[in-house]
Every structure is written in structure tokens, then in C-alpha cells.
Amino acid sequence: MRENIEFRTEDGVTLRGWFYPAQGVAGPAPTIVMAHGFSAVREMHLDDFAEYFSRHGLACLVYDHRNLGASDGSPHGHVDPVAQIRGYRDAISHAETLPGVDPARIGIWGSSYSGGHVLVVAAIDRRVKAVVSQVPLVGGLEAARRLIRGDYWAGLRANFDADRRARLQGAAPAMIPVVDEGNGPSALPTPDSWAFFDNHRRTHPDTTWVNAVTLHSVELFAEYEPWPHIPRIGPTPLMMVVARDDHLTPADMTLAAYETALEPKSLLVLPCGHFDAYTGAMFARSAPAQADWFSRHL
């Protein structure tokens, strides 16, 4: 049975989530720290992964990033990759203090945007003993160039600059939808992004997810480059899960990035798109492989 938890970051922001004790384990257990991707909240299928891992002897700490979901932080909807990376490290520190956790056997799991975060955290924080990075963002600028038409870039950068000047003068940050059903501006401008988030909103009327992020979040997305950290992860064991038909975090970029990782490493390629990796047959294929990876290396 999961427990509600909260903990404070080093700079004093309260993050909230769930703790899943490891089932069938006597004594301190290996533990996975988990968070979601760009703007997403823990109810978007992280509970499915955590429940599966828990049933297979792995405790899980699942939480919402700052400024998102049930966690505190201002402005709400501001997605800062550096702050989220620090949040992972604070979550590891909190996990080390929990009853039932073996602080010497902590792994990290991330997907999409946080799939990039765990690559960075695993490279710089040696408390991490194993990592799974699912459909990760490995290069923000190249991914953004593929998502945004070339003739839109000049106007978008002008908007970034105007927002920065306005914030410096004390104005509230400009906001942009995460997804849009039509052709309007959005942070994740793909039909499958709309389908994923809209389906969650319709099936979870009490959701804490909000269809808005700061425009600055998009600028930070385009500046974010986890790729150079990948060769520094080893000898920490790395598993990367790639969706073959992914065009949000393009599969060819992820596969090329995987080749730069040192051993021990493992690659799982799923025959699906980005969001299919969370559910159905792809979850049934991927979750056991991920649990086995953590179990073997923790």
C-alpha cells in the first residue's frame, strides 16, 4: 500500500508524492526514485510502473516536480530542467532516510524530459547505482528544431526575448499551452501529445495537471542538452528504452546517444510511438525488463 510523502528541497520548496514499500522483502530494500516528463504529473501512469516494481521487490519514491502537480513552487507551470535535476538529488537524499530503504541501493527512473534528467543525475551523483531512461530527451535544440517549423523560429526567439525583458520589469511570465488540439502554438506540438494529455484530463477530472507552462520553459527546453553526460554515466549500469516510432524525442537521436554510453548498458527498442511506452502491450513488455535490470544491479 502506497503512502503519501512530502519532503523539502535544499532551497526550501516542498515536493509531494508517494512511497511504495517493496513487497516480499525482509529488511532494507533497493529503491527507485521516479518523476515524470515535461509538465506531466505522477498520476500519468507512474503509479503503474511503481506498483509493478513494488510487487517485484523494489521500493519506489514517486513525486511531482516543483511547480507542477501536487508539489509547491512558483510560478506554477515553470519547467526548469536544472531545478528538476536538483529535485531528483533531493529526492534521493530523502529516500535515504526512509524506513525500509537501503541507502546503498538506490536507482533512478525517468521518462521523456525526466529521461534526460536521470542521464545527467546518474553522471554526476554516484549515490545512483542503476538507471533506467525511458524515451528520453537527449538533445533539446535538435528536438525543438524538428518539432517547430523553421520559419517560426525567428518569431519564437523574439517572443523569448520580449518575455525576458518583461519579467525583468516585474511582469508575470508569459504562458503557453502544453498541447493544442488544432494548429495553435503549444510547447509539445504533436497530435499524440494532445491525445495523451487530453485523454488524461478527460478520464481524471480531479487531475492536478494544468495545460499551461511558462514560455520560458520552452526556451529552457531548447537549451537543454543531456547528451554530453551520457559517456560519464559508466560504470553505473544504464538501461535505455527507445520507442522506434518516436517523433517527440526522436528515436534516431536516442539511439545515437546510446552508442556513446559505456558498459554496463542495455537497450530496449519498443515498436511504438512516444506515449505508447506507458501503457498496454508496450508496458507489459517493458516493465518486466526494467524491473529485471534494477533487480540485477541493485
Side-chain angles (χ1 to χ4, degrees):
M1 182 67 69
R2 74 188 184 197
E3 309 161 10
N4 292 326
I5 60 163
E6 63 179 47
F7 59 95
R8 291 172 68 83
T9 64
E10 189 173 0
D11 61 342
V13 175
T14 298
L15 306 185
R16 297 183 178 88
W18 301 313
F19 180 70
Y20 292 76
Q23 298 181 28
V25 176
T31 300
I32 316 304
V33 172
M34 308 174 62
H36 221 313
F38 190 90
S39 90
V41 295
R42 56 197 159 126
E43 293 89 354
M44 293 173 170
H45 304 294
L46 293 201
D47 47 351
D48 297 330
F49 281 94
E51 288 170 4
Y52 187 92
F53 295 159
S54 173
R55 290 197 305 270
H56 289 79
L58 300 161
C60 294
L61 187 159
V62 185
Y63 71 99
D64 284 332
H65 292 296
R66 67 167 62 209
N67 311 330
L68 299 172
S71 290
D72 290 348
S74 181
H76 193 83
H78 182 55
V79 182
D80 181 338
V82 174
Q84 292 185 348
I85 287 166
R86 290 173 179 158
Y88 259 102
R89 302 184 77 181
D90 292 330
I92 293 169
S93 296
H94 181 67
E96 290 176 323
T97 70
L98 294 176
V101 169
D102 184 346
R105 293 189 291 164
I106 289 180
I108 53 176
W109 183 100
S111 188
S112 195
Y113 209 44
S114 69
H117 299 347
V118 295
L119 298 173
V120 179
V121 174
I124 62 178
D125 195 325
R126 290 300 165 186
R127 294 177 298 173
V128 175
K129 298 303 188 292
V131 55
V132 170
S133 175
Q134 177 176 277
V135 294
L137 177 76
V138 296
L141 181 58
E142 179 62 22
R145 282 174 170 164
R146 298 193 192 192
L147 289 169
I148 300 168
R149 277 177 39 180
D151 56 333
Y152 286 0
W153 268 100
L156 180 61
R157 291 199 178 278
N159 289 338
F160 289 161
D161 295 340
D163 177 52
R164 185 176 296 276
R165 295 187 192 100
R167 286 186 281 110
L168 186 63
Q169 298 300 317
M175 305 298 289
I176 186 171
V178 178
V179 292
D180 185 83
E181 183 176 16
N183 296 317
S186 64
L188 303 178
T190 66
D192 57 341
S193 297
W194 166 262
F196 177 80
F197 286 102
D198 184 59
N199 178 69
H200 172 79
R201 181 168 53 182
R202 287 186 291 103
T203 56
H204 295 76
D206 57 346
T207 183
T208 57
W209 179 75
V210 177
N211 187 21
V213 292
T214 63
L215 182 62
H216 190 199
S217 302
V218 181
E219 183 179 18
L220 292 173
F221 179 106
E223 296 172 354
Y224 183 38
E225 301 294 331
W227 194 318
H229 290 84
I230 295 173
R232 304 169 191 162
I233 294 173
T236 301
L238 165 66
M239 180 179 192
M240 196 173 287
V241 180
V242 179
R244 183 191 62 197
D245 304 320
D246 196 335
H247 50 265
L248 188 61
T249 57
D252 64 298
M253 291 177 59
T254 312
L255 291 169
Y258 175 80
E259 292 302 315
T260 70
L262 303 180
E263 298 287 353
K265 62 181 181 178
S266 177
L267 177 66
L268 175 62
V269 179
L270 301 175
C272 67
H274 185 86
F275 295 100
D276 300 317
Y278 295 98
T279 61
M282 295 301 102
F283 172 85
R285 179 173 172 178
S286 182
Q290 295 181 28
D292 178 68
W293 181 257
F294 280 129
S295 296
R296 283 192 286 128
H297 292 288
L298 295 179

